[in-house]
Amino acid sequence: MIGVDVGSEDRLALGVLTQYRMATTEQMHRVIAPLVRIEQTRRRLARLRAEGLVDRITLPQAGRTRVWFPTRYGVQLASEWPEMRGHRPSRTVSDPTAVRLKAGHTLTVTETALAFLEDARRRGELCQPLDWLTEVYHPIGSGEAVIPDALLYYRRGPADGDNGALLRAFVEVDRATMGPERLAAKLSAYERLYRYVPTIPGRRPIPQEPAVEEWRRRYPLFPRVLFVLDGTGPAGVENRISALRAGAGLLAPSRFLHDVPVLAASMADLLLHGPSTPVWRPVYDPDQRVRWTVSGHWQT
């Protein structure tokens, strides 16, 4: 019999690690139990490890930081829960070697999730730990796909109310490990996803039948796209935003750029000021700073 209380933070901790793929002890504490002592989170993780549901590696740098991740058994168990349905975890999520090699990027993605989560808590808005899904697969044809670093769900307004605006965003976290041109090319992939209409093998198209884009099967409106830029100084951030704007210029006059907000912000600004402040810079309309939760036609 598993000694895990599935009705408590034990279940949440396993769900978070399955969905986020990995997190440090301190990050896990901030996600699941920020109001108690961190020793309680350490004991919880140790108990899950003793049950074979999670494991850890120790990074040699940064004070020998412990990084936690789910085991294959933990992923199998958590994937059966109703709140986890529809999310396909990475096949390498439980491999210690893959965890070690991917720790830098994935832990930055987890820190980005915390920026939104903690900001929502401060503002009294609704963004739960499991409202952050990593690497959700979106086909765009010819065997290709768009796989954002994360898909974020967020509700504006009081967390205990029902009238807040529902928001969704694809989040791309860039640590300056790829060239600016490759970063800008992601815009083309999202534009392809925006207009991609799947074909059913063996079925002839009906002329009177309207084309239905693949993303409409999941979302009422196409999620906005947020680029979080890290791993470089202010000049590097400006260079990468310029590359994104150049990429957007190549797509104009696509309806994608008119219908979908595409915003960029530095990780430093995000952590210092919070994502609900005007740290975001529009990629297609560069002459202003905005809040990512701005209402109107940007609401999704």
Side-chain angles (χ1 to χ4, degrees):
M1 183 68 180
I2 295 177
V4 173
D5 181 0
V6 295
S8 73
E9 281 80 5
D10 286 354
R11 179 179 178 124
L12 177 60
L14 179 57
V16 165
L17 281 177
T18 298
Q19 211 151 276
Y20 289 36
R21 300 175 65 207
M22 67 182 80
T24 66
T25 305
E26 186 259 348
Q27 286 176 331
M28 284 296 295
H29 180 66
R30 290 162 58 198
V31 171
I32 67 173
L35 300 181
V36 304
R37 293 171 62 86
I38 195 171
E39 287 75 13
Q40 295 188 33
T41 299
R42 292 192 179 103
R43 288 196 294 269
R44 189 178 310 282
L45 292 168
R47 182 166 61 250
L48 292 172
R49 188 179 185 223
E51 295 290 347
L53 297 170
V54 306
D55 205 348
R56 72 187 186 208
I57 64 170
T58 301
L59 298 180
Q61 66 275 22
R64 297 185 61 79
T65 300
R66 287 179 173 176
V67 178
W68 297 87
F69 59 97
T71 63
R72 294 186 184 277
Y73 176 41
V75 170
Q76 179 182 2
L77 178 64
S79 297
E80 296 173 354
W81 298 341
E83 62 267 35
M84 301 293 289
R85 290 174 185 164
H87 175 56
R88 182 172 60 186
S90 169
R91 290 180 295 176
T92 61
V93 73
S94 301
D95 181 83
T97 300
V99 169
R100 191 179 306 278
L101 293 174
K102 297 181 178 181
H105 178 77
T106 307
L107 292 178
T108 304
V109 174
T110 299
E111 193 65 25
T112 305
L114 273 159
F116 286 97
L117 181 62
E118 292 176 334
D119 191 57
R121 289 169 177 168
R122 287 190 295 266
R123 294 167 57 83
E125 297 186 324
L126 189 61
C127 182
Q128 302 285 14
L130 297 182
D131 289 336
W132 181 267
L133 283 69
T134 58
E135 297 193 347
V136 181
Y137 183 93
H138 297 81
I140 55 176
S142 302
E144 299 180 74
V146 172
I147 308 176
D149 286 320
L151 169 64
L152 169 66
Y153 291 88
Y154 191 102
R155 193 176 75 195
R156 297 179 60 199
D160 56 356
D162 295 326
N163 298 321
L166 298 177
L167 306 168
R168 298 171 185 82
F170 293 130
V171 182
E172 292 284 351
V173 178
D174 173 60
R175 298 176 62 240
T177 56
M178 66 175 67
E181 293 78 10
R182 285 184 59 196
L183 175 66
K186 291 189 175 186
L187 283 177
S188 297
Y190 280 105
E191 194 271 341
R192 285 180 60 188
L193 174 61
Y194 180 76
R195 57 183 172 81
Y196 171 60
V197 178
T199 58
I200 301 176
R203 179 187 174 187
R204 294 183 177 179
I206 301 174
Q208 295 79 14
E209 185 178 41
V212 177
E213 294 84 356
E214 173 68 18
W215 61 265
R216 296 185 188 276
R217 305 177 190 274
R218 303 191 188 192
Y219 314 112
L221 293 176
F222 197 91
R224 64 202 63 197
V225 182
L226 306 178
F227 286 89
V228 178
L229 309 176
D230 193 28
T232 185
V237 169
E238 292 299 325
N239 184 38
R240 303 183 90 71
I241 290 178
S242 295
L244 286 169
R245 289 174 177 166
L250 295 176
L251 296 178
S254 168
R255 287 299 309 172
F256 168 73
L257 293 172
H258 292 278
D259 295 343
V260 180
V262 181
L263 311 175
S266 74
M267 175 67 90
D269 285 343
L270 202 67
L271 298 180
L272 180 62
H273 302 291
S276 61
T277 64
V279 297
W280 300 97
R281 299 171 55 186
V283 166
Y284 185 61
D285 183 10
D287 297 326
Q288 58 178 316
R289 285 180 179 265
V290 299
R291 290 175 172 84
W292 85 277
T293 55
V294 66
S295 58
H297 74 289
W298 285 12
Q299 179 175 307
T300 58

